Structure formats: C-alpha cells, structure tokens
Amino acid sequence: MKFKKNILLAAMLPAGLVLAQNSVAYNVVPAGQPVVTGEPSRVGAPWNHRSTFNIPGTQTDIAFGGYIKLDALYDFDYDQWLVTDPFSVANENNKTTGRTTFTAAESRLNFRTQTHTEHGTIKTYVEGHFIPDESFNLRHAYGEYGGFLAGKTWSNFMQMVGSPRTLKLGNPLGYTFERQPQVRYTLRGDDGFFAVALEDSDTPLVSDAGVPASSESRLPDLTVRYQYGHSFGISGVVRELATNEYLANTDDSTLGYGVAARGALPLGSRLVLKGNTMVGTGLGNYLNVIPEGAEAMRTPDAIILGDKLESVDFQSYGLSLEYRWEDGWSSAIGSSYVTQDLPENVAGLQEFADSIQFSYANLIWDINEQLAVGVEYQYTNLERLDGESIDANRIQASALFHF
C-alpha cells in the first residue's frame, strides 16, 4: 500500500512543479465563489490560499494546496502522542519524567477541481495528511453539485463557527470534530443555511470488561444543521447504536441523540468570545478524539452490560477568548469540560475517564499569508471513574508553511 501511495505522489510532483513555474500572486476569490475559467486566482481565506489553473481546452479549473507543519512538543508528566490526546493521561503506561518530540505528521496535501457546466459547477476535493503513522492517509474526498454533496468530509453535526484557533490539531477537547462518509443537501439563504445529511454510523462500543466491542448499525446517522452567518450554529443528530450475537455475543440496539451549538461574539474590534456546548447520549463518536479510531477506549457511544446495550450520556462545554494584536500577532486562551456518565460499579471501566478539563493559552504570529509560528501551553485534568485525579502539562511550538 505504501508503495502505491509513493508512486501516486511521485506522479503528481512533476505536474505540480510545472504549475509552480507559472505561479504568481493573484486576486483573492472568496471561498465558495466560482473561479473564472482560464484565469489563475487564489481561492479561500488567507490562511488557506491555493493557486488555481485552467486545464487548456476544458471548463475545469484545478488547484493544489496544503501546508507543511512542524510541531515541537514537550510533555512534562504524560506522553500525549504526536497530536495532543488528553485522554491518554488515563493510561499509567504513558507516564514520563519529561519527553521531547518533533513531528511533521500533521502536514497535508489537497487537490481541488471546479468544472463549469450549463447547469452549474461541479466541485471535487481530496485531502490527506500523515497522521497517525506518517504514511499518507485520507482526510477528505467528496464532490458537490448545487446543494448536493457526497463523499467523506466534516460531519454535518459539526459546526464551523466559533472554532478557537489553537496549535493543537482540531478544536479543543469537547468540540464536535468528525469526518464521515455521507450524503448531504444544503439549502442556502441570504443570512445562513440549513443542511440535512445521512452519515456513516461509526459506533465505538466497549464491553463491561473494558475492551472494544464490534458494532453493526442497520441505519445511517441522521444529522441536521443550521448556521446563521458567521456568528451562530446549531445542529442535531439521531442515530441507532446496535450490535448482534455474531459480533459481540449480544443482540441489542438503543437510541443515540444529541444537540450541539457554537457561537462567536465580537467584543470590540479585536476581541472575540467563542462558546461551544454538546449534550446528548451516544455521542462519543462525534467528539474530537485523536487518534482516530480510539474512541471506544476513551468516549464509547454505548456499553455492553450482560445482554443489554446501554448508551452513554455525554455533556461538554467550552469557552475561549481571542485577541488580535498589531502586526499579525494574536493570542487565545480557553478551557473546555467533558463529562460522560459511565456505570460506576463495572470493574473493567474503572480506568476510563469520568470527566476531563482541557485548557490552553497561545501566542501566534502570522508573519505573512503563507507563514505562521506560535507557542502554546496545554493543561489537562482528568478524573478517572475510580476517583483518581491526574494532571498533565504540555508545551507545543509550531511553524506552519502554506502553499
């Protein structure tokens, strides 16, 4: 598999070099707006620029982009992996007396097309990064036509407004953060949009022995989302959580559901207050647990207790303040809190997290549109189900080169 991925990357490199020879600074086109065919331009916000080129003789524009990111990490008490994983401190095997790690695994590559037709624009997008094993792994792969989307991308249950800026990959703990295969339809208005989707029902389960169990849901997750401008969004999900006797010696199902909301409130011209909440049952799959696939041992959707499947109640809250200084400098400080209602009398779950608080403070300098550097302090306090309280501290310094 790695051999095939290397061949693909090698084949793409010469094309990218040819395009780069003709690359100059172009006018910025707002994200989501069509690019004039045949005219190179830049698409998206300043931190997500990519040069766009027309394929001669066609109505298709293509764009390569991505970034290179180096993270320098120092863990004082617990190794929290390449990408900060606060749940890892529940495991005594991750203890350390001090550890430095350098990684570029978060670096990513993406490829976009826009094809103009008589009936509208067809868009495609593919992106990958090198997490968790430093080989190229898929993040996004989807197509859009009008309001219709199909493929793998951010869950419709996830809000894009009110996302704090952190050096840690993803949002702070407690925010919805999930990419799933799905079909979605979006209806846009003057002030916002409404979207509905059917999504892959990835259901992390755990047995009463505290080990992952297999799931087999018969129905996709149903998600809905409304976003008003760039200031507020609310979403909901309804899902079936299920397993059967062929997978886990238990044949049962239960209901999962929840709501999530985020907002951003400007407090003057430089300061922004951002907030998040997520409440429901069977929502562990939608939490920003990294590494992907580890949810069952951190935030299971449900637990197999005897011959019954019981969903896990879940709540999370988060607040942050962001301030923009002069000359490209910005700071952010925030804290989030997650609690899950696990059964207290099950021996196999005693080392699982009962509640967890994650806090951070950072200073970031956007040197120009293509380069940013910063440093961030991260603090975790985890309360295990057995009553043990664990504190962990990490310093992260990062350099980010966009292309």
Side-chain angles (χ1 to χ4, degrees):
M1 180 60 70
K2 285 188 177 180
F3 181 68
K4 292 182 179 179
K5 291 176 182 175
N6 290 336
I7 291 179
L8 175 61
L9 292 173
M12 292 169 59
L13 182 58
L17 292 174
V18 171
L19 295 176
Q21 292 176 355
N22 299 318
S23 179
V24 294
Y26 304 116
N27 294 329
V28 173
V29 178
Q33 297 299 314
V35 176
V36 178
T37 300
E39 294 185 7
S41 61
R42 290 194 179 277
V43 180
W47 57 88
N48 199 27
H49 279 174
R50 51 182 62 87
S51 297
T52 305
F53 302 85
N54 174 249
I55 300 176
T58 74
Q59 293 294 305
T60 297
D61 301 307
I62 62 173
F64 292 96
Y67 62 74
I68 304 298
K69 186 184 182 199
L70 174 71
D71 292 318
L73 310 166
Y74 184 80
D75 290 301
F76 291 84
D77 2 67
Y78 283 82
D79 179 8
Q80 297 185 62
W81 196 57
L82 298 180
V83 179
T84 303
D85 174 22
F87 282 96
S88 65
V89 308
N91 188 340
E92 296 291 323
N93 294 327
N94 292 325
K95 275 188 175 181
T96 180
T97 57
R99 176 169 180 157
T100 297
T101 303
F102 281 31
T103 178
E106 190 188 320
S107 303
R108 64 186 61 166
L109 298 170
N110 54 56
F111 173 77
R112 177 195 303 267
T113 71
Q114 292 189 114
T115 302
H116 308 286
T117 73
E118 295 179 356
H119 306 289
T121 301
I122 299 173
K123 304 175 183 179
T124 64
Y125 186 75
V126 177
E127 182 178 79
H129 62 184
F130 301 88
I131 295 171
D133 55 2
E134 296 193 344
S135 59
F136 193 68
N137 293 290
L138 184 67
R139 282 172 53 87
H140 299 273
Y142 64 89
E144 293 180 277
Y145 179 71
F148 175 74
L149 178 149
K152 180 180 181 179
T153 188
W154 299 118
S155 168
N156 190 47
F157 185 56
M158 176 179 169
Q159 293 292 341
M160 298 301 175
V161 300
S163 297
R165 189 180 185 188
T166 64
L167 296 180
K168 170 189 178 298
L169 176 62
N171 294 306
L173 186 70
Y175 288 63
T176 49
F177 188 85
E178 175 68 352
R179 294 180 296 270
Q180 297 196 133
Q182 62 191 273
V183 290
R184 182 195 304 176
Y185 186 78
T186 301
L187 183 64
R188 299 188 179 277
D190 294 335
D191 298 322
F193 65 84
F194 174 80
V196 58
L198 295 176
E199 306 188 18
D200 179 53
S201 186
D202 184 13
T203 307
L205 304 181
V206 69
S207 72
D208 53 12
V211 297
S214 299
S215 64
E216 188 175 69
S217 298
R218 296 165 296 181
L219 300 172
D221 293 359
L222 172 64
T223 61
V224 295
R225 174 164 56 120
Y226 174 73
Q227 181 173 316
Y228 178 76
H230 298 285
S231 59
F232 176 76
I234 187 168
S235 55
V237 60
V238 178
R239 55 200 310 247
E240 180 193 51
L241 314 174
T243 188
N244 58 52
E245 67 271 21
Y246 303 109
L247 296 174
N249 298 321
T250 298
D251 191 355
D252 197 20
S253 64
T254 188
L255 187 67
Y257 54 87
V259 294
R262 288 193 207 175
L265 177 64
L267 302 174
S269 60
R270 294 180 179 272
L271 185 64
V272 180
L273 173 66
K274 297 181 177 181
N276 164 82
T277 185
M278 180 166 56
V279 180
T281 187
L283 297 181
N285 180 55
Y286 289 94
L287 186 67
N288 60 327
V289 171
I290 298 172
E292 188 176 354
E295 295 91 342
M297 298 301 293
R298 289 161 168 76
T299 54
D301 286 338
I303 301 172
I304 299 174
L305 297 174
D307 60 352
K308 295 293 184 181
L309 186 64
E310 295 190 8
S311 63
V312 177
D313 293 343
F314 177 92
Q315 298 179 55
S316 71
Y317 309 93
L319 284 174
S320 69
L321 278 172
E322 297 183 15
Y323 189 82
R324 298 193 65 84
W325 308 88
E326 301 285 351
D327 301 322
W329 291 88
S330 64
S331 297
I333 184 171
S335 186
S336 54
Y337 180 77
V338 174
T339 179
Q340 54 184 354
D341 188 14
L342 299 171
E344 297 181 357
N345 59 347
V346 178
L349 303 180
Q350 293 305 301
E351 295 186 358
F352 277 58
D354 181 53
S355 65
I356 186 168
Q357 180 180 357
F358 177 79
S359 304
Y360 67 95
N362 63 42
L363 178 64
I364 300 174
W365 181 25
D366 291 296
I367 299 173
N368 53 46
E369 293 180 346
Q370 258 58 48
L371 173 61
V373 295
V375 62
E376 182 169 281
Y377 169 70
Q378 302 163 1
Y379 167 76
T380 297
N381 173 255
L382 184 144
E383 297 278 348
R384 295 198 323 194
L385 199 60
D386 61 9
E388 183 176 355
S389 179
I390 304 171
D391 296 309
N393 302 269
R394 164 176 274 195
I395 295 289
Q396 176 172 344
S398 302
L400 189 64
F401 302 84
H402 297 272
F403 60 88

